[in-house]
Amino acid sequence: MVLVNPRLTDYFGIPTPQAQLDFAIPFFNEDIPLYVDPFLLWASPSQQDQALHTAVINAFNQLGQLFLRGEQKKAVGTLIAASECDEVGLGASATRKGKRLGKTKAHEILSLFKTIPQYGSAGFRHFEEIQFFIDGISKDRISDITCSFTKSFLVDYTIEQCHRHGIPLRDHTLPHVYDYRKNEFKPEGGVQLPFHPDTRAPLILVPKRWLRFGPWISYDDYFQEHCPQDDISHEADKLERVDVLNFNRANYNVVDAYIREKERTFEDCKNDPLFTQIPVISARRKLTAIKKLPSGKNENADREYEKLIGDLFPSLLYPQLDFAAVQSRTDSGSLVRDLIFYNSQSDPFLKGIFDDYASRQLVFELKNVREVSRDHVNQLNAYMTDSLGKFGVLVTRNPLTGARKQRTIDLWSGQRRSIITLTDADVEQVVELFESKQRLPIDVIKKKYIEFRRDCPS
């Protein structure tokens, strides 16, 4: 079975959309572009999350004490082990593989316990403060360190969620699980976790409530809103990051004031959703642009049409359909662009599409043409195989001619394949339902399917 941009739940046939799950569904071949923000644990009303934040900070400060006591090799080695957590699949990697800290960078981080007296005596309140003193500390690194120190909890959370939703598990040996009694990482065998179907690599689930696009305490926010840039350089254009880091090392009180301000405004710190729908007014503007757009390819009208529909449909059909990807392919010398959605079967209509046409994913082929040709129908028909099943949607400008409509009916009669068509009028109706909120936009697709089946022979 070949899925486009496969996810854990879709591969194992778990019919639950992302919006109804407590965790972020992992992709098999790339990272989720979000990060665990440890500040969300600190700010959480949950005593469990607060305790986990305390555990993370205690573990990090313990490394500092090791370093100060002269056990630098052990401290550096432990920090390197904590610096990557591939099992969670968060960040910007296209391969789900990250790179650990080097010895020099880990030593530089732990040296903060020596060079900044406040950290040496009282430790960190938020370990992500290291980004204000050390170059090259990304949000990905902060997220991975948090996940590594909370891995034991995340393993239990993953097992509980998998049992709840029927996701298969298998035994793994995890090379780095933090032991709070010994303050060190150690391998742990016999850990039941979900897995990548090809590599068999373990996967760990992360609660959505922990995720943000960037940390609440961040260098960019500090630099823009709090850093006394004029005190560091009178020529703003020449102010380099290293100048700011050096200033911070000599002026801990400035960083501390920023941290206290972020703590004071903690109620504004919210997790980021995995998907955000476009506003109604934006949907209206895109619909207007589509209606003004000529059919054909002149002045790249076909590309603009594909872009506008590609912007609209993932929002209009959410959360019943989770968007998977824009898929481009060449068929008979023509570039064909499709929108692919995961069929989470969250609606009786979608469940019926899965049962009747074996569609784990749904394909919407986009055609900015005045009249759909026989080749266009055949292209979509040929593409409806394997995971995409035998149901497809042709999004185009005008209704099919009698001959093209008969061709789709013949495909159903001979091969039990359904190709329905959405025109400009249908897209407008979808936008109207999105705006009114009185019915679901996907009801337009249901209506088109019912109309199509009504025309098919019984």
Side-chain angles (χ1 to χ4, degrees):
M1 176 176 58
V2 179
L3 292 170
V4 177
N5 205 14
R7 304 184 302 181
L8 175 67
T9 51
D10 305 283
Y11 182 86
F12 289 110
I14 312 300
T16 308
Q18 176 64 84
Q20 295 178 16
L21 294 172
D22 188 66
F23 59 88
I25 304 173
F27 295 107
F28 284 145
N29 299 330
E30 61 183 46
D31 283 348
I32 300 170
L34 285 169
Y35 306 86
V36 171
D37 183 355
F39 194 88
L40 283 170
L41 279 69
W42 183 88
S44 170
S46 160
Q47 189 174 8
Q48 174 185 263
D49 287 356
Q50 294 173 21
L52 286 169
H53 182 269
T54 300
V56 170
I57 296 304
N58 287 345
F60 190 80
N61 286 332
Q62 173 66 23
L63 296 181
Q65 294 307 308
L66 272 180
F67 193 83
L68 293 175
R69 289 203 303 264
E71 298 182 61
Q72 297 185 355
K73 184 176 180 180
K74 182 178 180 181
V76 167
T78 304
L79 182 55
I80 291 173
S83 65
E84 193 59 49
C85 188
D86 289 332
E87 296 94 341
V88 298
L90 301 174
S93 172
T95 60
R96 287 186 58 94
K97 285 290 180 184
K99 188 176 179 182
R100 296 186 188 280
L101 284 170
K103 288 183 179 178
T104 303
K105 185 64 71 177
H107 191 279
E108 189 180 355
I109 291 171
L110 293 173
S111 294
L112 292 174
F113 286 95
K114 274 188 174 179
T115 56
I116 299 180
Q118 290 85 349
Y119 291 143
S121 59
F124 284 78
R125 300 199 306 278
H126 304 276
F127 83 88
E128 58 267 42
E129 296 171 33
I130 59 177
Q131 62 189 303
F132 302 121
F133 308 99
I134 306 294
D135 196 15
I137 303 300
S138 65
K139 52 190 177 184
D140 193 20
R141 189 68 68 199
I142 290 168
S143 175
D144 276 337
I145 292 174
T146 307
C147 290
S148 292
F149 283 131
T150 56
K151 189 178 290 185
S152 183
F153 165 81
L154 289 174
V155 166
D156 292 339
Y157 172 81
T158 300
I159 294 171
E160 187 267 333
Q161 290 293 320
C162 287
H163 284 163
R164 178 179 299 183
H165 298 286
I167 300 172
L169 304 171
R170 68 187 296 266
D171 282 347
H172 299 274
T173 297
L174 299 180
H176 300 102
V177 178
Y178 193 72
D179 184 336
Y180 285 91
R181 289 166 297 189
K182 297 182 178 179
N183 295 309
E184 64 184 22
F185 285 95
K186 64 177 186 178
E188 189 167 322
V191 181
Q192 290 248 309
L193 287 173
F195 54 93
H196 191 295
D198 297 330
T199 66
R200 300 288 170 177
L203 305 174
I204 289 179
L205 308 179
V206 179
K208 290 190 294 187
R209 66 178 185 276
W210 289 10
L211 301 178
R212 283 175 56 88
F213 289 112
W216 177 248
I217 294 175
S218 80
Y219 175 87
D220 291 341
D221 178 55
Y222 167 79
F223 181 77
Q224 293 295 333
E225 305 294 338
H226 197 88
C227 177
Q229 299 180 27
D230 291 339
D231 293 346
I232 303 173
S233 172
H234 296 299
E235 298 179 75
D237 293 343
K238 295 184 178 179
L239 184 58
E240 301 285 346
R241 188 183 186 105
V242 66
D243 299 324
V244 177
L245 301 181
N246 288 334
F247 171 85
N248 291 343
R249 290 193 189 103
N251 297 274
Y252 169 78
N253 59 316
V254 177
V255 173
D256 187 55
Y258 169 75
I259 299 299
R260 292 185 186 282
E261 175 64 15
K262 300 301 284 186
E263 289 179 339
R264 189 183 67 78
T265 56
F266 77 95
E267 291 182 342
D268 296 333
C269 178
K270 308 293 182 186
N271 65 303
D272 286 319
L274 280 90
F275 179 79
T276 303
Q277 289 176 293
I278 59 174
V280 169
I281 190 170
S282 178
R284 271 284 168 197
R285 286 173 180 159
K286 292 182 188 300
L287 174 64
T288 301
I290 289 171
K291 292 166 74 175
K292 290 180 178 177
L293 202 64
S295 58
K297 297 183 177 180
N298 287 344
E299 299 182 355
N300 290 323
D302 55 337
R303 296 292 183 89
E304 183 64 16
Y305 177 76
E306 291 163 358
K307 181 180 183 307
L308 290 167
I309 294 292
D311 290 343
L312 268 179
F313 273 41
S315 283
L316 302 185
L317 301 179
Y318 180 85
Q320 286 73 36
L321 290 176
D322 288 332
F323 181 60
V326 175
Q327 184 90 335
S328 297
R329 56 193 165 89
T330 302
D331 194 318
S332 302
S334 301
L335 180 65
V336 181
R337 190 156 284 128
D338 309 306
L339 305 180
I340 309 294
F341 292 84
Y342 301 104
N343 184 6
S344 55
Q345 308 168 51
S346 59
D347 178 284
F349 165 67
L350 295 173
K351 179 72 167 59
I353 294 299
F354 175 80
D355 291 340
D356 294 342
Y357 301 102
S359 296
R360 289 182 177 274
Q361 294 184 307
L362 300 183
V363 57
F364 289 64
E365 187 163 310
L366 313 181
K367 291 293 181 192
N368 185 43
V369 294
R370 185 174 62 84
E371 181 179 319
V372 169
S373 69
R374 183 182 178 88
D375 286 344
H376 293 150
V377 175
N378 290 341
Q379 283 172 358
L380 178 55
N381 178 49
Y383 193 50
M384 292 174 357
T385 57
D386 298 331
S387 62
L388 295 178
K390 298 178 180 178
F391 178 87
V393 180
L394 200 53
V395 186
T396 186
R397 308 304 303 272
N398 301 301
L400 300 184
T401 62
R404 297 296 88 76
K405 187 174 179 181
Q406 186 59 49
R407 171 62 179 156
T408 61
I409 293 173
D410 291 343
L411 286 172
W412 189 89
S413 301
Q415 304 175 36
R416 287 297 185 267
R417 291 169 176 261
S418 282
I419 295 179
I420 64 169
T421 307
L422 296 182
T423 65
D424 281 3
D426 299 318
V427 174
E428 181 169 9
Q429 196 172 9
V430 172
V431 172
E432 286 173 354
L433 293 184
F434 179 67
E435 183 177 12
S436 69
K437 310 293 185 190
Q438 293 183 355
R439 294 183 64 183
L440 297 175
I442 201 169
D443 285 350
V444 176
I445 299 176
K446 292 184 199 175
K447 184 194 75 167
K448 297 293 290 188
Y449 177 65
I450 292 170
E451 290 174 354
F452 170 74
R453 286 300 307 273
R454 195 175 292 149
D455 293 333
C456 294
S458 56

